[in-house]
Amino acid sequence: MYKKFKWLTLLIAAVLVVMTGCQAVGGLDINKAMLTSLDVKSSESSASIRFEVVPADKALSSEDKEAIDLINSLSLNIDHAIVEDSNTVSIQGSVHYSDKKIPLHLSMDAKGMAIQLDGAKQPIYLSMDTTVPGMPDTSQYEQAIQDVVKKAAGLVLKHFPNPSKVSVKPVQEKVNGESLNLTHLQMELTGEEILNMVKPFAESLLKDEAGLKQVIGDGYDAIYPMITSIGEAYGEDVELLPQESKEEVVASLYEMVHGALTEFTENYDEQKEQLLEELPGSETVFGKDTILKLDYYFDEQLNTRKNALELTVALPASEDLPLKSFKVYSEGEVWNIGGAVKADKVDTSKGVLDVLNESVTPGQVLRNFEKDSLIYNVLKDDLKITQKSMYLNISNEDFGYGAIKKNHQSFVPLRYLADQLDAEVKWTKGSNKIIVINDLTGEEIVVTVGSKKASVGGKSVTLPEAPFVHSNGSTYVPLRFMAEALGATLHLEGDGWISVERD
């Protein structure tokens, strides 16, 4: 299984490399142009991406048709993106879903990403702070590491062969309404060709000892100081590798890389055939019907001003997957490169919803949106983020989470039910009162151990039986009452089983 995964990963990576790997054609230094595109410069841009799945030539179920129509309706439109610097970006655009349109505003800086969706009370936030308490700030080394990545990309581009279909010609195109004289690079290749390009790439790279050692040495220069600073934070000396000098480290790592590339090239043909035989459908995915088409438009400074991608991935016939192929289309244009631009930041002054926080529940996410907003209905009805399903066994209380009978009433451990339905439980110190917060509504459900009196959302109710503390130390509450108060319904499944469902 490991070998299959390793080789499939290499082949997928090859697709990505081929998207930029190409040598000089028609007087255009494509390697230099592609490397220039990796430089982060201030700019403005627009873009779009959409998806399409092509159904197989057979009768489809209504569910399959619905799923296909849904995928084919998905698209992302970026009306205006602003790159202020490598850390500061903003995007204004919209997500299209079925016949719905969800406007969005995104901004990103070194600390994190904020996304304001139409109808949201607070922006959604994704923290990007990678600092660890007690550890040194390593952000000062990020630029050096980025430079090494660019140099490694340059080495890859240098050795990757040209696709069989590649052309370069001068054209006149409009970018943001302005007519420009550009150089149009057009490439097309198939999945079959991708497989055949990998080995010559590896063989060419294998011969470039100086290039490999240079990148390894640059990587050493960028990473070693960072590792040393981390070691100093612990008050210890840290050695990157057992050798004492950079030359020994580079030589050792080069031998490792050289050995891996040698093994790869020697065994590639055999492993490729084995992959095609053992992974069902791989001969289709990496066949002539998988096609990648790329269009780049460069200005005189080799800046990418327009681009378009069309990727068709052929899929093998399958009873479980009623599709013939999957397609991705994207296009974009860039202007005001190097200009004085300012990212349009999302307003976070009224707080944010940090969705990467482990304590954030589906109900909290849903309650962050107005009930009459489109995104609220998409999250609740289409994506069903609050849907829950669980089973309780009423015949065996030894489970610790099973329902039990008492005075002809079913009881369940409060903590277990609350955890399953994302409810928060609070104990009132010095009393038997318990407050349970409904994740869907934010309402408080108040019960008291030993009392039939309770309240839901401030309204008094009388329980059929009082909550109690079991001999195992757990607090048990009436099952039907608490489940329904938390927005769930019960269903008797037979053989002592009860299902608890929440839409």
Side-chain angles (χ1 to χ4, degrees):
M1 178 60 69
Y2 168 74
K3 282 188 176 181
K4 293 179 185 178
F5 177 77
K6 180 182 73 171
W7 279 83
L8 184 59
T9 301
L10 287 170
L11 292 174
I12 293 173
V15 176
L16 300 177
V17 171
V18 169
M19 290 171 65
T20 56
C22 191
Q23 298 168 20
V25 175
L28 175 68
D29 188 340
I30 301 175
N31 292 353
K32 187 176 180 180
M34 292 300 180
L35 285 176
T36 299
S37 69
L38 295 178
D39 290 329
V40 179
K41 302 174 183 177
S42 61
S43 65
E44 299 178 72
S45 63
S46 63
S48 65
I49 181 170
R50 66 182 180 89
F51 308 94
E52 178 186 356
V53 289
V54 180
D57 299 324
K58 65 177 183 178
L60 300 176
S61 67
S62 58
E63 291 83 1
D64 289 337
K65 289 180 180 178
E66 183 178 350
I68 289 172
D69 290 341
L70 176 62
I71 294 173
N72 289 345
S73 73
L74 285 173
S75 65
L76 170 64
N77 288 341
I78 299 175
D79 301 320
H80 190 199
I82 301 174
V83 176
E84 185 176 332
D85 54 47
S86 60
N87 292 318
T88 314
V89 178
S90 67
I91 291 174
Q92 297 272 8
S94 56
V95 176
H96 295 253
Y97 169 80
S98 189
D99 58 348
K100 306 174 179 70
K101 178 182 177 180
I102 304 174
L104 66 85
H105 177 196
L106 177 152
S107 66
M108 181 179 71
D109 57 25
K111 295 181 179 179
M113 179 188 299
I115 306 171
Q116 180 66 58
L117 295 169
D118 194 42
K121 300 172 185 176
Q122 292 183 327
I124 292 172
Y125 192 75
L126 291 84
S127 175
M128 296 181 181
D129 186 3
T130 58
T131 59
V132 179
M135 295 294 290
D137 182 7
T138 59
S139 58
Q140 59 182 308
Y141 306 108
E142 290 178 0
Q143 185 58 54
I145 293 174
Q146 290 175 12
D147 291 342
V148 172
V149 171
K150 183 179 177 181
K151 291 175 182 178
L155 185 66
V156 170
L157 292 170
K158 176 183 176 182
H159 292 284
F160 220 93
N162 289 344
S164 59
K165 293 184 179 180
V166 57
S167 65
V168 173
K169 62 181 179 181
V171 295
Q172 192 172 61
E173 289 283 329
K174 283 190 174 182
V175 176
N176 193 39
E178 180 184 4
S179 184
L180 300 175
N181 293 319
L182 303 173
T183 299
H184 179 200
L185 167 65
Q186 189 172 48
M187 292 184 282
E188 180 180 328
L189 67 160
T190 66
E192 188 175 42
E193 187 175 2
I194 290 172
L195 285 182
N196 294 331
M197 294 172 74
V198 174
K199 184 177 180 180
F201 159 70
E203 289 175 334
S204 178
L205 185 60
L206 187 60
K207 298 174 183 177
D208 191 357
E209 178 178 349
L212 285 170
K213 285 186 174 180
Q214 182 65 50
V215 169
I216 293 171
D218 291 338
Y220 178 96
D221 292 337
I223 296 173
Y224 187 78
M226 181 176 67
I227 294 179
T228 301
S229 69
I230 294 174
E232 290 174 350
Y234 280 111
E236 302 172 358
D237 293 328
V238 174
E239 292 183 356
L240 183 63
L241 286 174
Q243 294 87 348
E244 295 182 354
S245 68
K246 172 184 174 180
E247 290 72 20
E248 288 176 309
V249 172
V250 171
S252 176
L253 291 178
Y254 171 75
E255 289 303 319
M256 292 171 58
V257 173
H258 186 274
L261 283 173
T262 300
E263 181 184 2
F264 179 85
T265 54
E266 290 177 349
N267 299 327
Y268 181 76
D269 293 330
E270 178 184 347
Q271 294 283 5
K272 183 182 75 172
E273 293 304 318
Q274 184 178 347
L275 173 76
L276 295 175
E277 290 177 6
E278 296 183 3
L279 283 181
S282 58
E283 70 280 1
T284 301
V285 174
F286 289 100
K288 60 181 179 60
D289 293 325
T290 287
I291 302 172
L292 173 66
K293 298 179 181 179
L294 289 165
D295 290 271
Y296 287 96
Y297 297 82
F298 301 101
D299 61 18
E300 292 181 351
Q301 289 74 41
L302 298 181
N303 296 310
T304 302
R305 304 302 299 270
K306 292 185 71 172
N307 61 81
L309 174 148
E310 179 181 330
L311 173 63
T312 300
V313 179
L315 301 174
S318 169
E319 290 296 325
D320 300 325
L321 189 65
L323 303 177
K324 182 186 296 184
S325 62
F326 177 77
K327 299 183 178 182
V328 180
Y329 304 91
S330 74
E331 58 183 12
E333 54 185 55
V334 187
W335 64 94
N336 198 15
I337 297 175
V341 298
K342 198 77 175 175
D344 183 16
K345 293 192 175 183
V346 171
D347 182 8
T348 60
S349 60
K350 296 181 181 179
V352 297
L353 178 65
D354 188 351
V355 295
L356 297 184
N357 188 321
E358 293 181 359
S359 64
V360 172
T361 63
Q364 285 178 293
V365 173
L366 192 64
R367 283 186 275 120
N368 188 49
F369 294 92
E370 302 291 348
K371 287 188 175 182
D372 59 352
S373 67
L374 176 58
I375 190 66
Y376 181 96
N377 293 311
V378 168
L379 291 172
K380 188 176 187 301
D381 300 330
D382 296 330
L383 300 182
K384 302 183 185 298
I385 67 167
T386 60
Q387 191 175 65
K388 294 284 183 176
S389 178
M390 58 181 288
Y391 288 88
L392 297 169
N393 188 288
I394 205 169
S395 63
N396 188 347
E397 58 178 290
D398 292 334
F399 286 152
Y401 51 79
I404 63 174
K405 284 285 188 180
K406 181 180 181 182
N407 296 335
H408 307 292
Q409 291 291 327
S410 296
F411 284 78
V412 67
L414 172 59
R415 177 66 66 180
Y416 175 73
L417 183 66
D419 287 347
Q420 292 297 305
L421 297 178
D422 299 312
E424 183 181 356
V425 179
K426 296 181 178 180
W427 289 83
T428 302
K429 191 174 182 180
S431 74
N432 290 326
K433 184 183 291 185
I434 308 169
I435 300 174
V436 182
I437 301 176
N438 187 334
D439 186 46
L440 297 184
T441 64
E443 289 183 337
E444 290 188 352
I445 305 156
V446 182
V447 297
T448 303
V449 174
S451 173
K452 292 184 180 181
K453 293 182 179 181
S455 66
V456 179
K459 296 180 180 180
S460 298
V461 296
T462 301
L463 305 180
E465 291 290 335
F468 67 93
V469 178
H470 194 277
S471 59
N472 61 18
S474 297
T475 299
Y476 279 69
V477 293
L479 171 58
R480 183 173 295 278
F481 160 75
M482 187 56 69
E484 291 179 351
L486 293 175
T489 57
L490 304 183
H491 303 278
L492 298 176
E493 302 294 336
D495 296 328
W497 287 94
I498 300 174
S499 65
V500 181
E501 306 282 345
R502 187 183 75 184
D503 294 329

